[in-house]
Amino acid sequence: DAKTTQPPSMDCAEGRAANLPCNHSTISGNEYVYWYRQIHSQGPQYIIHGLKNNETNEMASLIITEDRKSSTLILPHATLRDTAVYYCIVRVWFGGAAGNKLTFGGGTRVLVKP
Amino acid sequence: EPEVTQTPSHQVTQMGQEVILRCVPISNHLYFYWYRQILGQKVEFLVSFYNNEISEKSEIFDDQFSVERPDGSNFTLKIRSTKLEDSAMYFCASKWDRGTEAFFGQGTRLTVV
C-alpha cells in the first residue's frame, strides 16, 4: 500500500470548514484513498473514500487532485465533536491478500475550538 | 445503525494468564479483523479472518495469539499467556465485502499486571 503523509496536528474554529491535507505521491492506479477518524481512543470510524473523482457524503467531502498524488478531506462545518485523529489511508479496493487490512499512520490530530 | 460489539470493555489480567476478547460483528459481514493500539501509538493490524480461516496476519500475531469464530456470530481473540507488553486497546472490525468500509467496535482495554 502507498505511504501517506499528513500534518501531525491542526486547529479549527467551530462552525468553520476544516481542510485536512494528505500526500500520497506514490499512489498507484488501482489504489483508493480512504479516510477514517478516531475520537479519543474509540474504535476508528469510516468517513469517506474515493478513487479519482471528488466524493461527498453526509460527513465530509473528499477532493482528490487530478494527478491523484494528494487529497483533502473537508469537514464543512466543524463541531466540537469532530475533535479526533484523522487518518488518510491508501490501498487497493480488492487487495492481493483476502484480508484487505488497513495500515494506519500517525494521522492528523484535529482540535476544534469554540 | 448496526454496530460491532466488543466485550468486556476493560479487562485486567495477571501476566501469564490466558485472556479471551470477544466480538460480535455485524450480522451479514463476512470479513473480520483484530487490531490493537498500545497507548499513545498507532493502530496496528493483527489478523484478518475470512471463510473460517486466517487470511492474513502480522508479525505481532505470533503463536500466543489465536482467533476463532465458534458459533457463527462471535469472533474471539485469545492470548494464551499474556505479557506486560500485550497491554493495549484491542479493536475488532468487520465488513461485508473486501472493498467496503470496515466497521470497528469500541474496543477492549487489556491491562496486564
Side-chain angles (χ1 to χ4, degrees), chain A residues 34-106:
Chain A
Y34 288 79
W35 284 83
Y36 282 76
R37 73 180 182 183
Q38 188 177 24
I39 298 173
H40 190 55
S41 296
Q42 295 178 21
Q45 178 189 23
Y46 166 82
I47 302 172
I48 199 168
H49 74 278
L51 180 63
K52 54 185 177 181
N53 298 320
N54 297 338
E55 302 288 343
T56 296
N57 63 20
E58 65 277 4
M59 290 182 69
S61 295
L62 174 60
I63 309 297
I64 303 174
T65 58
E66 194 168 336
D67 63 7
R68 302 205 327 118
K69 293 185 177 181
S70 65
S71 60
T72 301
L73 179 75
I74 301 172
L75 307 177
H77 305 286
T79 70
L80 299 179
R81 287 177 295 181
D82 291 323
T83 291
V85 179
Y86 287 77
Y87 300 100
C88 171
I89 299 169
V90 173
R91 66 169 180 81
V92 296
W93 179 257
F94 286 108
N100 265 157
K101 65 180 184 289
L102 292 168
T103 302
F104 291 84

Side-chain angles (χ1 to χ4, degrees), chain B residues 4-33:
Chain B
V4 175
T5 306
Q6 290 187 242
T7 54
S9 57
H10 189 191
Q11 174 135 13
V12 181
T13 189
Q14 290 203 324
M15 190 169 52
Q17 294 296 304
E18 175 184 286
V19 294
I20 297 176
L21 309 183
R22 302 181 190 280
C23 169
V24 179
I26 294 173
S27 63
N28 63 341
H29 284 190
L30 302 176
Y31 296 82
F32 313 106
Y33 307 81

